[in-house]
Amino acid sequence: MLMCSGVLPAHAAEITISQASIEAGDEGYRLSLAYSFELNRGLEDALSRGVPLYFTTEVQMTRRRWYWFDETSVSATRTVRLSYNVLTRQYHTAISGQLQQSFPSLEDAMALIRRPPRWIIADNNTLKSGDAYSVGVRMRLDVAQLPKPFQVNALNNSDWRLSSDWIEFTYKPE
């Protein structure tokens, strides 16, 4: 009887970071990222019912020191909120409460999340010229910002576990 039930194990969807780089500019150091992922059916269903989704990107830059622990030079986060308005039938994104945009389709809104605008992670005087910095970046669905009933559901449901692994690369400011 159990063999015929058709229950398959659920796997958590993953976010892949397809591009990550740092560019020096007049305002400071900007992080440029590109992600590759799709929302699973459970997340799309929750979104269409009015539950906002929060995608948080975390960045850490450390500099090696021979005499002590590595120095954390930069630690920054940015959250993108994705929501759906049932009355207007539009998707809305808000980047850390600053940039807000509306989109007619989920695919258009996801394009902004997959390829967010570059953002300043450090001032010009934060990093020392010539030193090598280890940069770590990851993105995840931030379940801590969901409404409380959904936080409990997210702990028990693999549909709500969406994240990337930490990727690391080296950056040397000139």
Side-chain angles (χ1 to χ4, degrees), residues 5 9 13 17 24 32 36 52 78 82 84 100-101 106 111 143 147 150 152:
S5 65
I17 300 175
S32 176
S36 175
R78 182 168 74 172
L82 174 63
Y84 178 69
Q100 296 183 6
Q101 288 181 293
L106 177 59
V143 295
F150 289 97
V152 173

Side-chain angles (χ1 to χ4, degrees), residues 126-141:
T126 304
L127 305 179
K128 295 179 182 176
S129 181
D131 286 353
Y133 291 87
S134 176
V135 182
V137 180
R138 83 168 175 169
M139 182 193 205
R140 62 187 168 84
L141 177 65

Side-chain angles (χ1 to χ4, degrees), residues 44-98:
E44 281 186 30
D45 188 41
L47 185 63
S48 68
R49 294 175 190 264
V51 178
L53 302 178
Y54 298 88
F55 296 93
T56 300
T57 300
E58 299 172 82
V59 181
Q60 289 188 348
M61 293 181 74
T62 56
R63 183 174 59 96
R64 266 206 169 324
R65 295 191 291 195
W66 64 271
Y67 58 89
W68 197 246
F69 297 110
D70 292 349
E71 172 191 25
T72 301
S73 302
V74 175
S75 182
T77 61
R78 182 168 74 172
T79 301
V80 179
R81 179 181 185 262
L82 174 63
S83 60
Y84 178 69
N85 188 322
V86 178
L87 296 175
T88 62
R89 293 185 177 158
Q90 288 197 331
Y91 292 89
H92 302 280
T93 59
I95 299 176
S96 296
Q98 299 170 355

